[in-house]
Amino acid sequence: MRGYLMQEDGSPAATGDLSHLQNFADVARFLEVSRSSLSYWLYGAPESARYTTFEIPKRSGGVRRIDAPTDVIREAQDALLPHLYERHNPHPASHGFLPGRSIVSNAEIHQGQRLVLNVDLADFFPTINFGRVRGLFMAQPFLMGDKAATVCANICTHRNGLPQGAPPTPILSNYIATALDRRLNRLARENGLKYSRYADDITFSTNKTTLPPSIAYLDGSATLKDTVHVGEALERAITSCGFSVNPAKVRLQSRAVRQSVTGVTVNQFPNVGRKRVRRIRAMIHAWEKFGLPAAGQEHLRRFAPGASADSRANADRTYRNTLYGELAFVKMVRGPEDKVFLNLCAKLAQIDPNPPKFLRQMLFGADDYDIFISHAREDKAEIARPIFEACEKLGLKAFLDEEHIGWGQQFTQKINVALGAARTVLAIVSTNSVGKDWPVAEMNAALGLEVDGEKTVAPLIVGKPDMSRIPLMRQKDAMFWDGDAEKVAVALKRIVKGTPAAAEPAVVSPAVAATSEPQSPIVAAIEKARTELDPSPPEQPAPPSPPVRAASPPLENPKRGFWARLFGRR
């Protein structure tokens, strides 16, 4: 059991403090990492190997540097993390990175107050350096020996500070800032104020008409438009705890304006500002109108002009994550039943071919499906429906449009959500399906998601369709329809339970595939299904026509921007 001492009978020993950790060997044994490996990754490996560095744009402009640990460093941090939380006794005023507390609980303290003062701490995480973390491990509640504390501090710090992106950073910052919370909470009580902290955001509030000058004061005439300065007593309390004020981020807000605490409006009750909602709508509109890659590049150009080449290469992913992060913020503050939140979800579901699970559940209560059956309307009765019923008998949760789309639900939206919810897509490729825009776009979208490792596409060839509109499908192993829906369902079950995606780019029939090596999971599954359902040797079918390779290059981006081109019925 990682991270626990074992008694002679093999049971975990009571840990209490960590005073039994006295040296390097004790720490390595405690974290179940070899001494040589831990020594190399702490002291021998280059910095670039120990941490992956990248940038994400800040909402206020510029970029935020993220240092994510790798390999043994990450393993050691993950092993240490439960012990940090186990011994943590958070201050009531601290609301960051704690179970049951959030930016909403932090904001609720200050709702309906006459004055709200926001103070930002400068370089919060980098300020918590190696020496402070080492001292923490040597003190209560850990009581490590000095050598062991040195090792653990080296595990948790990077460039002589707490790295943003490392698992222990948030909880360690709360440990170090506990003394600050005590000082500021006492100062707030002495002056009749309310106090809370979320990471580096400090907030005071009061129903009095003015704040004591020892806490904050205004330059020039007594109007809130003047520059706000931190008072001497407040600044002395902050600096005495090893932190400093960022003077550019000190704000005093009266109830006559929008009062904001960690991004939440608190004039009457916790709410999301109109500006934020408008920004989310604008981001959704940009994605819909220009496509995700272009929207991502423009977002970086406007808000993070100095972004690295790596950030620009992943601009679409960053844009999507930022947008869903903003949406999650709205949900957290306004609640999952809020009309504004649900409307934003509905709009995103129309343009995102692979929406996250929370969005699917918000809109339709949609659980993840095992199989999404992509088909043309003409193939439904003879092929799609029998396969759907055979899958249901085997316990597979399959999606068939007529089974799951109710009256009043938008067809495009529901199909989009279900496609994102399915792990495996059965693409029924027939003369009917390749001749219609909707099934072709649906199959190309699924193939694009497979390229990104998010889906497995299992083609089922019916007859001899022209596959020129789905060139990526030509390069996949395929099942061939012989009228046996049960055999297809058994093969699909094996694909769902087994390894996704074909490795060999060839269109092969089950009979021919039996003699070719190596078999892909799709071919192996259909061959296994055939032998299970009919142990006797089958009649040999006529050899299929040799596969025709795509003459034209693959689609540049089969998963992007296709829904706007869809029209008509299946």
Side-chain angles (χ1 to χ4, degrees):
M1 184 180 297
R2 169 171 281 190
Y4 288 88
L5 292 180
M6 307 303 289
Q7 297 179 354
E8 292 183 1
D9 62 0
S11 61
T15 54
D17 57 47
L18 298 181
S19 59
H20 55 275
L21 301 182
Q22 291 294 314
N23 52 44
F24 190 98
D26 290 340
V27 174
R29 185 166 51 251
F30 181 70
L31 301 179
E32 293 187 4
V33 179
S34 72
R35 293 175 60 181
S36 59
S37 179
L38 185 59
S39 178
Y40 169 76
W41 282 97
L42 283 180
Y43 308 117
E47 183 179 282
S48 59
R50 291 186 287 124
Y51 283 82
T52 299
T53 300
F54 56 95
E55 297 169 342
I56 58 175
K58 293 182 180 180
R59 184 168 57 88
S60 57
V63 294
R64 187 184 307 279
R65 178 192 175 102
I66 302 297
D67 294 302
T70 64
D71 212 276
V72 172
I73 299 296
R74 177 60 186 254
E75 292 178 10
Q77 290 182 359
D78 286 341
L80 190 59
L81 192 60
H83 302 281
L84 301 180
Y85 276 99
E86 179 184 359
R87 291 161 177 79
H88 188 221
N89 182 24
H91 192 278
S94 176
H95 290 262
F97 325 116
L98 295 169
R101 306 186 197 182
S102 66
I103 57 175
V104 177
S105 66
N106 181 60
E108 285 174 339
I109 295 171
H110 307 285
Q111 65 185 29
Q113 297 293 294
R114 188 186 297 271
L115 295 174
V116 175
L117 174 69
N118 301 112
V119 178
D120 187 81
L121 299 178
D123 299 322
F124 180 64
F125 293 116
T127 298
I128 303 174
N129 58 28
F130 168 84
R132 299 177 76 175
V133 176
R134 180 177 180 270
L136 169 68
F137 285 135
M138 294 174 63
Q140 289 281 7
F142 301 104
L143 299 176
M144 296 181 189
D146 58 346
K147 294 181 180 178
T150 299
V151 176
C152 288
N154 272 317
I155 290 172
C156 296
T157 58
H158 178 55
R159 295 179 176 176
N160 196 31
L162 290 180
Q164 294 192 61
T169 290
I171 187 66
L172 286 174
S173 70
N174 277 338
Y175 271 106
I176 297 296
T178 297
L180 176 68
D181 289 330
R182 291 177 182 144
R183 287 284 303 264
L184 298 189
N185 194 55
R186 183 167 60 249
L187 187 64
R189 288 200 314 268
E190 292 171 353
N191 290 276
L193 309 175
K194 295 183 177 182
Y195 162 74
S196 70
R197 180 183 63 84
Y198 189 97
D200 57 351
D201 289 323
I202 290 172
T203 305
F204 293 90
S205 65
T206 181
N207 262 327
K208 298 178 180 179
T209 56
T210 59
L211 284 175
S214 60
I215 301 297
Y217 62 93
L218 299 169
D219 251 348
S221 60
T223 68
L224 295 180
K225 293 182 180 180
D226 294 323
T227 303
V228 183
H229 296 278
V230 169
E232 182 181 352
L234 176 55
E235 185 160 16
R236 185 169 59 248
I238 291 173
T239 55
S240 68
C241 294
F243 297 99
S244 60
V245 174
N246 182 351
K249 292 187 177 181
V250 179
R251 294 179 300 142
L252 182 59
Q253 306 162 96
S254 75
R255 62 174 52 156
V257 299
R258 187 179 75 87
Q259 296 172 322
S260 175
V261 176
T262 50
V264 179
T265 303
V266 295
N267 291 68
Q268 295 179 331
F269 52 85
N271 199 0
V272 179
R274 292 193 187 99
K275 185 176 179 180
R276 194 176 205 130
V277 174
R278 286 197 296 267
R279 182 170 62 248
I280 296 173
R281 287 181 178 141
M283 292 181 73
I284 295 174
H285 175 73
W287 182 348
E288 182 179 27
K289 184 175 181 179
F290 304 109
L292 185 57
Q297 292 294 340
E298 177 63 15
H299 186 74
L300 277 184
R301 187 190 69 79
R302 291 184 60 188
F303 298 104
S308 64
D310 184 62
S311 295
R312 296 193 175 279
N314 294 284
D316 55 346
R317 182 176 300 178
T318 300
Y319 188 87
R320 184 179 184 273
N321 291 342
T322 301
L323 180 52
Y324 278 116
E326 293 282 348
L327 194 64
F329 179 87
V330 176
K331 176 189 174 185
M332 178 175 59
V333 177
R334 298 183 68 120
E337 304 299 326
D338 178 70
K339 183 178 179 180
V340 171
F341 169 69
L342 291 176
N343 286 339
L344 293 171
C345 285
K347 190 66 175 176
L348 263 174
Q350 293 178 2
I351 61 174
D352 190 351
N354 193 36
K357 187 172 183 179
F358 88 88
L359 190 150
R360 301 193 298 263
Q361 291 176 330
M362 282 297 118
L363 288 175
F364 306 110
D367 294 325
D368 286 347
Y369 295 100
D370 295 311
I371 306 291
F372 178 96
I373 302 176
S374 175
H375 64 93
R377 177 169 52 87
E378 293 83 355
D379 296 326
K380 182 176 295 184
E382 298 296 327
I383 304 173
R385 171 157 287 285
I387 293 174
F388 170 79
E389 293 172 350
C391 288
E392 293 286 294
K393 289 179 181 178
L394 293 179
L396 292 174
K397 188 170 184 181
F399 178 89
L400 185 64
D401 49 12
E402 69 178 24
E403 289 292 324
H404 295 92
I405 299 179
W407 290 103
Q409 290 183 331
Q410 294 186 28
F411 188 80
T412 305
Q413 191 179 72
K414 181 66 174 180
I415 289 290
N416 211 8
V417 170
L419 179 60
R423 305 185 189 102
T424 302
V425 177
L426 174 67
I428 299 177
V429 185
S430 68
T431 303
N432 297 318
S433 63
V434 299
K436 294 194 171 183
D437 289 331
W438 183 286
V440 167
E442 199 170 77
M443 288 187 281
N444 278 327
L447 288 165
L449 293 170
E450 184 180 53
V451 169
D452 282 354
E454 298 175 1
K455 307 288 172 195
T456 297
V457 178
L460 178 64
I461 308 298
V462 181
K464 295 183 179 180
D466 177 9
M467 300 174 67
S468 60
R469 298 183 68 192
I470 44 174
L472 293 181
M473 198 74 78
R474 297 177 181 177
Q475 303 174 23
K476 294 183 61 61
D477 295 327
M479 301 178 282
F480 285 77
W481 177 246
D482 61 3
D484 191 342
E486 187 178 353
K487 180 171 63 176
V488 175
V490 172
L492 289 173
K493 186 172 184 177
R494 291 190 171 276
I495 294 169
V496 168
K497 303 293 184 184
T499 305
E504 294 296 320
V507 179
V508 188
S509 73
V512 175
T515 61
S516 61
E517 293 291 342
Q519 284 186 338
S520 79
I522 293 176
V523 172
I526 193 66
E527 180 64 15
K528 182 69 174 178
R530 180 188 64 75
T531 56
E532 285 183 355
L533 294 172
D534 184 10
S536 59
E539 295 182 8
Q540 292 295 324
S545 301
V548 180
R549 296 294 181 185
S552 57
L555 298 179
E556 288 184 3
N557 203 340
K559 71 169 184 172
R560 309 292 187 194
F562 69 93
W563 291 112
R565 302 195 302 270
L566 299 183
F567 59 88
R569 300 180 61 186
R570 285 176 177 269

